[in-house]
């Protein structure tokens, strides 16, 4: 392992915040005396290629500046290697940073973890669809929540959580139950009509919505949350509970753990880490302890 630190940035992440965040992280690391090699890419393909190049040069730490989608997009290049990741959040949701207790509004503090953080091994999820396979780190959304993500990505205003809430309102108008067929851990597939299914490695998505409250990213399990078919009014009444992570005890919500989940439904859309992965059907699995991330010291027991 070399003595240098690699810094990989997506300048366009977080609607353009990535550039300023990368500059602040780089300035901090160099002020602390670190040797830093920098890499910047704008497309997913370019970021993945640069990540592989950076890892091949064996840095002490790979600092990744971007959002959940930025990091999940380079996972094939970094998971299973000896190079730990220091994530400097610069996305719109930053739900992985929230789950790991990383600084989300201080680029220098986040970059400091490359020097003084504690290594924590976390799980990586994987989604297989007819078209492709993709790793993810936070939550795979299927159903109403995936359609909300679709609409969120189409909106240019407002930013952050408000944009997500506006998308929710838009999809409530078009709400229809989905005819899910679900199988977990090799069980016989069964029809499970519902409003949504969330398969989670961490607790939240959408910038802090705790759909799988209590989920942790290093238990080698997926949290599977299923919401029964609901009308607009009942779904709207459920959201205040969801925002506080108090919905899992409701009779219309089921919550279980699994290592593998297969789901299909007419019109199914699959999202994870804010990115559209596929449609119609998918199988989601977990790879335990597949990624090492630098976290604050107190997170060793978190």
């Amino acid at each position: 392992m070399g003595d240098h630190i690699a810094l990989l940035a997506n300048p366009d992440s977080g609607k353009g915040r990535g550039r300023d965040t990368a500059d602040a992280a780089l300035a901090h690391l160099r002020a602390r005396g670190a040797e830093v090699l920098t890499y910047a890419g704008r497309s997913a393909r370019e970021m993945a290629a640069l990540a592989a190049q950076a890892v091949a040069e064996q840095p002490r730490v790979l600092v990744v500046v971007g959002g959940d989608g930025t990091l999940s997009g380079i996972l094939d290049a970094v998971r299973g290697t000896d190079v730990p990741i220091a994530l400097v959040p610069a996305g719109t949701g930053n739900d992985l940073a929230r789950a790991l207790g990383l600084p989300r509004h201080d680029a220098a503090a986040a970059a400091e973890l490359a020097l003084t953080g504690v290594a924590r091994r976390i799980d990586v999820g994987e989604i297989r669809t007819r078209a492709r396979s993709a790793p993810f780190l936070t939550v795979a959304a299927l159903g109403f929540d995936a359609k909300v993500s679709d609409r969120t990505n189409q909106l240019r205003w407002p930013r952050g959580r408000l944009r997500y809430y506006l998308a929710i309102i838009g999809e409530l108008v078009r709400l229809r139950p989905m005819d899910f067929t679900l199988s977990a851990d090799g069980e016989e597939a069964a029809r499970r009509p519902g409003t949504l299914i969330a398969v989670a490695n961490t607790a939240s998505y959408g910038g802090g919505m705790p759909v799988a409250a209590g989920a942790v990213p290093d238990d080698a399990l997926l949290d599977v949350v299923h919401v029964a078919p609901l009308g607009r009014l009942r779904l709207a009444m459920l959201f205040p509970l969801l925002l506080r992570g108090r919905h899992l005890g409701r009779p219309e919500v089921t919550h279980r753990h699994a290592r593998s989940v297969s789901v299909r439904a007419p019109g199914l859309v699959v999202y994870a880490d804010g990115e559209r992965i596929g449609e119609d059907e998918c199988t989601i699995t977990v790879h335990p302890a597949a990624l090492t991330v630098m976290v604050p010291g107190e997170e060793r027991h978190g």
Side-chain angles (χ1 to χ4, degrees):
M1 196 70 67
D3 290 330
H4 73 282
I5 290 173
L7 187 149
L8 174 64
N10 176 1
D12 298 327
S13 64
K15 305 303 179 185
R17 291 194 301 273
R19 183 184 303 278
D20 291 341
T21 304
D23 289 345
L26 178 61
H28 176 79
L29 291 170
R30 286 183 170 162
R32 293 273 277 122
E35 177 189 354
V36 185
L37 300 183
T38 62
Y39 308 80
R42 284 190 160 83
S43 70
R45 179 174 295 183
E46 187 176 9
M47 288 288 288
L50 289 172
Q53 177 184 337
V55 168
E57 294 171 358
Q58 296 190 306
R60 181 171 41 158
V61 180
L62 173 60
V63 177
V64 178
V65 181
D68 298 331
T70 298
L71 182 53
S72 63
I74 66 167
L75 281 176
D76 284 337
V78 300
R79 60 176 170 168
T81 73
D82 294 328
V83 179
I85 300 296
L87 177 62
V88 179
T92 54
N94 297 320
D95 287 288
L96 181 65
R98 183 177 282 101
L100 298 178
L102 308 181
R104 290 181 286 119
H105 307 292
D106 187 337
E112 174 67 21
L113 295 176
L115 305 173
T116 59
V118 172
R120 179 179 178 183
R121 296 189 68 82
I122 66 171
D123 306 334
V124 173
E126 184 168 8
I127 303 172
R128 296 192 302 276
T129 68
R130 290 175 179 172
R132 65 183 180 121
S133 176
F136 73 100
L137 290 162
T138 60
V139 180
L142 303 90
F144 176 80
D145 46 358
K147 293 176 181 179
V148 169
S149 294
D150 236 357
R151 184 176 289 266
T152 300
N153 286 345
Q154 295 169 14
L155 296 175
R156 295 294 173 261
W157 180 93
R159 288 188 173 186
R161 267 193 176 190
L162 288 178
R163 187 168 60 136
Y164 193 76
Y165 297 159
L166 185 61
I168 288 172
I169 294 171
E171 286 303 319
L172 274 173
V173 175
R174 305 170 60 187
L175 180 65
R176 297 289 186 278
M178 298 198 66
D179 190 16
F180 294 118
T181 297
L182 184 147
S183 172
D185 290 338
E187 296 174 353
E188 185 176 352
R191 287 188 63 242
R192 293 290 305 278
T195 301
L196 65 84
I197 294 174
V199 182
N201 188 44
T202 62
S204 72
Y205 57 9
M209 188 174 293
V211 66
V216 293
D218 55 4
D219 61 356
L221 293 169
L222 299 164
D223 284 57
V224 184
V225 178
H226 174 276
V227 178
L230 298 176
R232 296 182 185 90
L233 179 59
R234 287 185 66 195
L235 182 57
M237 292 173 63
L238 183 66
F239 267 104
L241 295 176
L242 196 159
L243 292 173
R244 299 194 298 273
R246 297 175 58 185
H247 59 295
L248 296 180
R250 296 288 302 171
E252 60 267 40
V253 180
T254 59
H255 176 213
R256 63 172 294 180
H257 293 98
R259 290 181 172 83
S260 177
V261 181
S262 295
V263 181
R264 67 178 185 270
L268 181 72
V269 177
V270 184
Y271 259 79
D273 293 344
E275 306 293 328
R276 184 173 178 141
I277 306 299
E279 50 278 322
D280 298 329
E281 62 182 67
C282 67
T283 296
I284 303 172
T285 54
V286 61
H287 298 274
L291 183 71
T292 302
V293 183
M294 304 301 290
V295 302
E298 62 270 19
E299 286 297 306
R300 178 180 295 179
H301 306 290

